[in-house]
Amino acid sequence: MLAHLRTLRLATWLGWQLETNWASPWLFALYMLVKPVCGSLMLVCMFYAARSVAGARVPVEFMPYLYVSNACYGLVGSVMFGLSYAVVRDREHYRMLKYVYISPAHFQTYFLGRGAARGLEAVVGGALNVGVGLFLFSELRNTVTVDVPWLVLYLAIGGAMLWACGMLLAAACLNMSRNGMFLSEGVAGVVYLASGVVFPLSALPAWVQPISLSLPTTYWLEGMRRALMGTGTLPPQLRGPLADWSNGELAAMLAATTAALVVLAQLFWRWSERRAWRNGKLEENAGV
């Protein structure tokens, strides 16, 4: 246990250093603020453009939905992309992956630490993003009501869920070339659409909705919106299939899907790790 904790601590520190060493602390803090806020402001501008054309047909409650969803989704993209890119970076850029593997450090715990560093960065960026939104937009100030216990619970379960998603992608990248880094970007784009980040599930085609309901990120984002905005914030025409679920039912489904995802991630990781070691993929790089 102590060895795992030491590996986790050092891997998190290493990941944070790799993420922040390209700039001074003040410049990196500005980057952490500007990057997520600009993405959310783009959606806000799209909302105002649609409202100027369609008028009241675009409900004002839709803007907080967009803003909060996008701020929370930044955590999904950062952890999923960060874990898979850690494989590519350590193998292709630094050529250290095989040495990490044969070291006393636990291989999975090492990547857990690398993902924790990206998760910490995303949490800080998301908090700053929501803070800027509260300062700039009255629609958000009139909607956001933080439910701390549910927020902590959803963040805890969501952390395990995001780690499992990231480990699935990282396991795939163990047996792929450096172009495997684009796998997580493609998956993140699909999840962005299907999890109801920009559009409520009721606005998606009927054949897409069962796919959306099979994704644990759908339940996590719904829970995060409820924890930050309460329930009943959307008008009836935008309420999706999860609108009538209680917070307890939502958390239970999130926990169940997360547990299944963790089991799948463990099985896939062990198979991928053995295959990568057997085929020499841990030291194979593009030579550039």
Side-chain angles (χ1 to χ4, degrees), residues 30-270:
L30 180 63
Y31 164 79
M32 290 184 66
L33 174 65
V34 170
K35 180 183 177 182
V37 169
C38 286
S40 293
L41 290 181
M42 180 180 67
L43 293 177
V44 170
C45 292
M46 292 170 61
F47 164 79
Y48 283 125
R51 190 166 173 81
S52 67
V53 174
R57 287 185 294 173
V58 180
V60 69
E61 297 88 352
F62 192 40
M63 197 277 275
Y65 176 96
L66 283 174
Y67 200 98
V68 171
S69 295
N70 189 70
C72 293
Y73 189 79
L75 190 60
V76 178
S78 292
V79 175
M80 290 174 64
F81 178 75
L83 277 170
S84 58
Y85 189 59
V87 173
V88 176
R89 176 183 282 186
D90 286 7
R91 183 181 62 201
E92 302 284 346
H93 297 176
Y94 303 117
R95 303 184 182 183
M96 293 294 295
L97 187 63
K98 62 180 178 181
Y99 300 112
V100 174
Y101 184 78
I102 63 176
S103 73
H106 191 270
F107 206 40
Q108 275 200 65
T109 308
Y110 170 78
F111 283 104
L112 175 60
R114 295 293 297 272
R118 289 298 299 265
L120 177 61
E121 178 185 344
V123 168
V124 174
L128 294 174
N129 195 359
V130 173
V132 170
L134 290 172
F135 177 76
L136 293 178
F137 306 110
S138 60
E139 296 92 341
L140 210 58
R141 288 195 296 273
N142 296 333
T143 304
V144 170
T145 54
V146 180
D147 189 336
V148 176
W150 283 112
L151 179 61
V152 172
L153 178 62
Y154 285 124
L155 283 174
I157 303 176
M161 180 267 295
L162 294 177
W163 167 77
C165 290
M167 291 303 288
L168 281 171
L169 295 175
C173 287
L174 284 176
N175 290 282
M176 299 174 68
S177 66
R178 65 183 303 158
N179 293 326
M181 59 184 283
F182 297 111
L183 173 66
S184 59
E185 295 180 343
V187 171
V190 173
V191 175
Y192 187 80
L193 173 65
S195 296
V197 179
V198 179
F199 306 105
L201 298 187
S202 58
L204 297 175
W207 63 272
V208 177
Q209 293 185 27
I211 300 175
S212 300
L213 293 174
S214 68
L215 299 175
T217 49
T218 300
Y219 303 99
W220 182 71
L221 288 168
E222 176 69 20
M224 291 295 292
R225 283 192 295 267
R226 292 189 185 189
L228 293 173
M229 302 192 308
T231 57
T233 55
L234 286 179
Q237 64 269 29
L238 294 178
R239 291 168 63 84
L242 300 177
D244 296 327
W245 287 39
S246 67
N247 278 325
E249 292 172 332
L250 197 64
M253 179 58 76
L254 175 60
T257 53
T258 297
L261 193 63
V262 168
V263 172
L264 177 63
Q266 287 295 307
L267 294 175
F268 186 58
W269 173 268
R270 292 176 183 179

